[in-house]
Amino acid sequence: MIKIGIIGTGNIGTDLLLKILREPNLKPVIFAGRRMTSDGIQIAIQKEVPVTDKGIKYFIDNPKCCDVVYDCTSAEDAKKHAIIFAQQGIKVIDLTPAKVGDLCVPSINPEIIDVNNNVNMITCGGQASMPLLNLISKHCTGLDYVEIVSQIASKSAGMATRLNIDNYIHTTERAIREFTGCNNCKVILNLNPAEPCVDMQTTMFLKFKDINFEPLVEEIYKKIKELKTYIPYYELVLPPVINHDVLVLSIKVKGTGDYLPEYAGNLDIINCASIEVTKRMIK
């Protein structure tokens, strides 16, 4: 049994808590926020999960209270928290684009949690695109340029998301460079105010010199099947096509509706990925 702490009781933290409660080998021992009146803390109380409004001070006062802590706060706060958790020897799964720990994608490098006490789950766009970008990079030569464009519902972008947009872009671009080997890349995030709310969609563009296309397409469908084992509503909505030496494909992600609305697949995917990498510790 792995003892879990969560710091940050907003939308992501609350949805994450509800998902963890379904996992038989993960036990939430503290849900730490700043306001006892927050919706997240009230839900945790109903679920009989220990709560606190002391935030990071709780972990300072109760060192090593858990085996793993999920940081669902902000990039700036997560950088400060990382110092405290490192001193206590607690593993951190960082859901903010803080760029402190090693970048982690469960379908690419889940073993990183074994050797590093702080792993970063990149961003929603990173978790959506990186498994496919990494795969494509292995089937082409002369990869010159990578661009990803993510569209999310404006209502799914809370204050922390909006404050962290620069960090989102820089962290996702860093992940592209690390997982594809291509240094020429660009990341775009669009907040769509449409009603009814749109689902998260990420479109990828890759410019290359040569590509082994048919075997790649077969591998892409295998990879999507693998991803759906922990991201249930991960769908390919534009199959890979080549136009003037540019490969284009697009995926859509819907949420499972635990706490967040189903259109907030951008928040759901990073929670699903975080739990999946934690399961590596159980294995």
Side-chain angles (χ1 to χ4, degrees), residues 1-5 20-21 23-30 48 50 66:
M1 183 71 67
I2 296 178
K3 295 186 293 183
I4 300 294
I20 286 173
L21 287 171
E23 298 293 333
N25 294 311
L26 304 181
K27 180 178 176 58
V29 296
I30 189 64
E48 299 183 343
C66 56

Side-chain angles (χ1 to χ4, degrees), residues 29-33 36 40-45 49-53 58:
V29 296
I30 189 64
F31 191 53
M36 290 300 290
I41 283 186
Q42 291 304 306
I43 289 172
I45 291 172
V49 175
V51 300
T52 179
D53 61 355
Y58 176 87

Side-chain angles (χ1 to χ4, degrees), residues 28-280:
V29 296
I30 189 64
F31 191 53
R34 295 176 178 173
R35 293 182 299 108
M36 290 300 290
T37 56
S38 72
D39 290 344
I41 283 186
Q42 291 304 306
I43 289 172
I45 291 172
Q46 293 172 14
K47 299 291 184 180
E48 299 183 343
V49 175
V51 300
T52 179
D53 61 355
K54 293 183 178 180
I56 189 62
K57 189 174 186 303
Y58 176 87
F59 294 93
I60 295 172
D61 295 340
N62 298 272
K64 298 186 179 181
C65 62
C66 56
D67 303 311
V68 176
V69 62
Y70 295 90
D71 198 319
C72 306
T73 57
S74 69
E76 288 307 309
D77 285 340
K79 291 175 183 177
K80 300 171 187 174
H81 299 165
I83 298 170
I84 295 166
F85 295 132
Q87 292 170 347
Q88 297 182 359
I90 296 175
K91 285 188 180 290
V92 178
I93 296 180
D94 186 358
L95 286 81
T96 80
K99 298 180 288 188
V100 175
D102 286 344
L103 303 180
C104 179
V105 179
S107 68
I108 300 175
N109 63 340
E111 71 285 347
I112 202 71
I113 191 71
D114 298 332
V115 297
N116 195 320
N117 275 349
N118 189 310
V119 298
N120 186 277
M121 303 311 294
I122 315 173
T123 58
C124 57
Q127 289 298 331
S129 63
M130 230 48 65
L132 299 183
L133 293 179
N134 176 259
L135 175 64
I136 294 167
S137 71
K138 297 175 181 178
H139 284 74
C140 66
T141 57
L143 185 58
D144 294 329
Y145 179 68
V146 177
E147 179 175 311
I148 68 170
V149 182
S150 290
Q151 168 188 253
I152 64 174
S154 184
K155 284 186 176 179
S156 72
M159 186 59 66
T161 298
R162 294 169 188 270
L163 290 172
N164 286 326
I165 285 180
D166 283 352
N167 285 314
Y168 170 98
I169 291 170
H170 296 153
T171 302
T172 310
E173 288 180 347
R174 172 187 162 193
I176 292 173
R177 292 190 291 269
E178 183 168 321
F179 290 117
T180 71
C182 180
N183 290 320
N184 188 17
C185 58
K186 185 176 184 178
V187 172
I188 298 171
L189 177 64
N190 294 325
L191 307 186
N192 191 330
E195 295 281 355
C197 294
V198 298
D199 296 326
M200 178 197 182
Q201 186 163 332
T202 296
T203 303
M204 292 155 267
F205 305 86
L206 300 95
K207 183 174 176 57
F208 53 86
K209 291 180 180 177
D210 190 28
I211 192 166
N212 200 3
F213 185 68
E214 290 184 6
L216 170 62
V217 172
E218 183 178 343
E219 290 299 317
I220 284 174
Y221 281 101
K222 287 181 181 178
K223 178 61 70 173
I224 289 172
K225 186 176 180 180
E226 175 191 343
L227 293 170
K228 286 172 72 69
T229 62
Y230 68 92
I231 313 166
Y233 302 114
Y234 185 100
E235 305 289 345
L236 184 68
V237 291
L238 174 63
V241 295
I242 296 177
N243 185 14
H244 299 295
D245 295 331
V246 176
L247 178 71
V248 184
L249 68 161
S250 186
I251 60 95
K252 180 174 72 173
V253 182
K254 293 183 70 171
T256 53
D258 293 304
Y259 175 70
L260 302 165
E262 291 183 0
Y263 63 74
N266 52 302
L267 304 178
D268 203 272
I269 189 173
I270 204 160
N271 282 345
C272 292
S274 299
I275 292 173
E276 183 67 14
V277 76
T278 311
K279 290 179 180 178
R280 166 78 184 195

